[in-house]
Amino acid sequence: MTSTASDSADFIIVGGGIAGLRAASALAPAGRVVILTKAESSESNTGYAQGGIAAAMGPGDSMDLHVADTLAAGAGLCDESAVRVLVNDGPRYVRELIEWGARFDRTASGALLFGLEAAHSVHRILHAGDATGREISRAMWERVVALSTVRVVNHALVTDVLVEGGVVAGIRYVEGEGVLRDLRAPRVLLATGGAGQVFGETTNPAVATGDGIALAYRAGARVADLEFVQFHPTALSLVGAPRFLISEALRGEGAKLVNSQGEAFMRRYDSAGDLAPRDVVARGIVREVEATGGPVFLTLQHLDPDRVRARFPTIAEMCRRAGIDIARDRIPVGPAAHYMMGGIDTDEWGRTSVAGLFAAGETACTGVHGANRLASNSLLEGLVFGARAGEAMQQSAAAAPLKADRVPVPAVAAIAPQPEALAAGGIRDLMWRAAGLFRTRERLAGAVARLDAACAAALLDVRERAGSDAAVWRQCNLATVALLVARAALRREESRGGHFRADFPARDDLHFRVHLVESQSPSPTLE
Ligand SMILES: Cc1cc2nc3c(=O)[nH]c(=O)nc-3n(C[C@H](O)[C@H](O)[C@H](O)COP(=O)(O)OP(=O)(O)OC[C@H]3O[C@@H](n4cnc5c(N)ncnc54)[C@H](O)[C@@H]3O)c2cc1C
């Protein structure tokens, strides 16, 4: 349990998903790069991505169409300029991925095949079977480990961003389960991925605990839009089985949602039916379960069985292990936390509000998703903004300025909380119940009080154990992220995109067409 002499690098990247790896490739020619991941290299949300990556490259598509679809999904809160960067730069970086060896599905004549997903107006999704993320991750890791200036440290849980005199000086991490180390560098990129594990039901792997958000917040950086969580409507819903994602691409290929009587029901909730936006479908499923008292299923029984199994081999295999033949049986499904639209507030170059600290990928909030993410735009975001953060890290340490439509969330509780320990499972259950698909003031206020106390208890625990116990840090990060999400959800008294308040079911542009930001440093003023 000792802190060793500190090591140094020119650039530190926390995270080995699509954003971290693309940034590493940009930074390798400029100096010594260290990538830290908290598990195996392959464990990341990127590795589990199924459906594909969106890019306006196919027939009948255009930049304007992709921008329009992204803005429509974002429900009035996208940063249009960031969306244009995403969409315009996307095809260039996807072509580069192909040059690096990523193999996407093609027609017999060799042309790229584009899939359709909900809320996209044209076929736009490049895919590699139903395991697109695994293929992208493979190609990127192969490239990055071959770069002589890049060092990779796996099983390293980063616990702190070191800030000296308001400027980043490096990071602290726990190696294995007990050795605390410092790694010094003037530029740090947080590319730590999603936060699905903050909720009791999630499609995300165990590593997705939102650590980057907690790290940035403790370092004094601004976080934004954390109330916007996307709940995927169709995770496998079987007692004892993990909530494996049943991709939207199945509905894109014609799969139908049916209730326990076999009736297709989604048109009762939205005219777009099974391909309505994810939050609408997720709430439709919960309401249908309440109305009928029975489960909801996805069925592909009306489609060609050989084609179904060939197009979705990974999903077919996962379901087979749970005793389900996807071509012949109905698949029981239900909603689960899937994607975090909010995160560490950044500009279009990944700069945060702390000089020298950058963020990219799912942990960042660039504003491209607004209140709801368009399916398959997140891999693209990691790729494009990972590259841009890498470029910016070579050039400048300046912090991002505050944008005009940012409104601070009150950060300080009125009464100092009495520390109350809450186990990780308790936090996840609480978040699923209070900050899940149907939110209310009463439930959120109760959750905020308990999470405030849990955060205080976790921080005490970290201090008492001198910070070298990885399990205590995990708990501390989980409690911090849960508190920030619940507090933002309580503050937003309207419904928009992924955020649904049962007590404020309408969208309120007059008061809430703004981003809620929070930071530990003195509250920023409105410009
Ligand atoms: C099941 C599933 C299916 C999806 N399908 C799609 C899809 O089809 N298309 C699409 O666009 N998006 C999809 N997504 C979302 C997409 O995969 C993610 O948004 C994206 O991959 C995030 O990439 P990232 O680089 O930001 O982070 P990740 O890929 O999650 O990588 C995070 C990295 O950070 C490391 N890390 C985290 N915390 C720490 C710490 N404290 N210390 C050290 N290292 C740390 C992890 O070890 C990991 O290496 C899907 C997500 C899931 C879960």
Side-chain angles (χ1 to χ4, degrees):
M1 301 279 181
T2 48
S3 177
T4 66
S6 65
D7 192 0
S8 72
D10 298 310
F11 307 104
I12 293 172
I13 297 175
V14 188
I18 191 167
L21 294 177
R22 185 57 191 80
S25 184
L27 287 167
R32 293 165 303 149
V33 181
V34 177
I35 303 176
L36 300 108
T37 83
K38 70 179 183 186
E40 301 295 324
S41 302
S42 56
E43 277 305 297
S44 63
N45 273 3
T46 299
Y48 287 82
Q50 295 179 353
I53 183 164
M57 296 165 69
D61 206 354
S62 71
M63 300 298 159
D64 284 344
L65 271 182
H66 193 180
V67 167
D69 290 347
T70 304
L71 295 179
L77 271 191
C78 291
D79 180 328
E80 186 168 342
S81 152
V83 172
R84 289 199 176 277
V85 169
L86 175 83
V87 168
N88 291 335
D89 285 7
R92 168 158 69 97
Y93 290 114
V94 169
R95 276 193 286 273
E96 181 192 67
L97 257 190
I98 296 171
E99 277 161 30
W100 291 354
R103 291 184 290 259
F104 295 112
D105 293 347
R106 292 176 181 270
T107 62
S109 61
L112 284 165
L113 261 177
F114 295 91
L116 181 66
E117 288 191 358
H120 287 271
S121 53
V122 296
H123 284 67
R124 175 180 292 142
I125 320 298
L126 287 99
H127 48 83
D130 57 355
T132 309
R134 196 165 63 206
E135 173 60 9
I136 290 176
S137 191
R138 178 200 64 73
M140 293 186 93
W141 271 113
E142 269 180 31
R143 177 179 170 82
V144 165
V145 294
L147 299 167
S148 62
T149 50
V150 176
R151 180 156 67 95
V152 180
V153 187
N154 288 328
H155 298 284
L157 180 80
V158 177
T159 61
D160 274 304
V161 174
L162 305 174
V163 181
E164 292 168 4
V167 175
V168 160
I171 50 120
R172 181 160 294 157
Y173 66 100
V174 182
E175 192 166 39
E177 285 294 321
V179 182
L180 199 60
R181 296 187 191 281
D182 284 359
L183 178 60
R184 299 188 69 82
R187 312 274 188 278
V188 171
L189 174 70
L190 295 174
T192 50
Q197 287 290 336
V198 171
F199 291 89
E201 305 283 341
T202 182
T203 61
N204 288 192
V207 291
T209 50
D211 291 6
I213 295 167
L215 288 167
Y217 181 69
R218 284 199 293 271
R222 288 192 302 262
V223 293
D225 286 356
L226 287 170
E227 66 276 33
F228 295 117
V229 176
Q230 186 173 84
F231 296 94
H232 200 289
T234 56
L236 181 64
S237 181
L238 269 183
V239 179
R243 293 288 171 263
F244 183 75
L245 178 72
I246 310 292
S247 165
E248 200 154 53
L250 272 75
R251 279 174 286 137
E253 294 282 336
K256 300 225 160 307
L257 280 164
V258 294
N259 63 20
S260 47
Q261 281 97 51
E263 296 162 353
F265 60 84
M266 262 316 296
R267 284 209 186 272
R268 286 209 285 277
Y269 301 100
D270 195 279
S271 59
D274 290 330
L275 286 177
R278 286 181 178 174
D279 58 298
V280 175
V281 179
R283 285 194 297 276
I285 288 175
V286 173
R287 287 184 170 127
E288 191 65 16
V289 168
E290 278 169 10
T292 62
V296 156
F297 302 90
L298 204 54
T299 177
L300 296 93
Q301 290 161 334
H302 53 291
L303 303 176
D304 171 14
D306 292 337
R307 184 173 149 64
V308 164
R309 292 189 199 105
R311 171 72 178 86
F312 303 109
T314 311
I315 296 171
E317 174 56 21
M318 288 305 292
C319 287
R320 194 193 58 74
R321 286 188 210 162
I324 294 168
D325 175 349
I326 63 164
R328 300 196 188 285
D329 301 327
R330 296 180 308 174
I331 311 167
V333 291
H338 184 57
Y339 184 81
M340 170 56 83
M341 270 76 74
I344 307 161
D345 192 26
T346 71
D347 68 4
E348 289 167 17
W349 292 97
R351 292 183 303 165
T352 73
S353 57
V354 172
L357 184 63
F358 296 75
E362 191 167 340
T363 196
C365 180
T366 55
V368 295
H369 306 301
N372 213 350
R373 173 188 69 129
L374 185 67
S376 290
N377 263 358
S378 42
L379 286 172
L380 191 68
E381 184 193 24
L383 193 62
V384 169
F385 289 93
R388 290 170 71 89
E391 275 179 46
M393 285 169 82
Q394 295 176 42
Q395 285 158 18
S396 153
L402 183 67
K403 292 180 196 159
D405 59 352
R406 284 0 191 202
V407 173
V409 178
V412 186
I415 306 163
Q418 289 301 310
E420 178 209 341
L422 200 55
I427 293 176
R428 293 185 180 118
D429 288 348
L430 181 64
M431 288 298 284
W432 185 245
R433 277 184 282 113
L437 281 157
F438 295 90
R439 300 166 168 177
T440 62
R441 179 187 303 176
E442 196 191 353
R443 278 193 298 230
L444 286 166
V448 166
R450 293 193 67 194
L451 291 165
D452 237 333
C455 252
L459 279 169
L460 266 181
D461 219 9
V462 160
R463 266 183 234 122
E464 275 167 15
R465 298 187 202 201
S468 58
D469 186 329
V472 176
W473 275 113
R474 283 187 205 111
Q475 175 74 7
C476 186
N477 289 344
L478 205 68
T480 306
V481 177
L483 173 62
L484 291 169
V485 171
R487 200 147 59 192
L490 178 62
R491 172 78 191 279
R492 185 172 287 278
E493 293 184 331
E494 65 151 359
S495 293
R496 181 190 295 270
H499 169 76
F500 185 78
R501 286 281 299 257
D503 45 356
F504 294 96
R507 175 166 152 175
D508 176 0
D509 276 347
L510 187 63
H511 300 101
F512 285 103
R513 199 167 178 177
V514 289
H515 301 270
L516 304 181
V517 299
E518 181 164 356
S519 70
Q520 282 205 134
S521 45
S523 283
T525 47
L526 278 174
E527 287 172 352

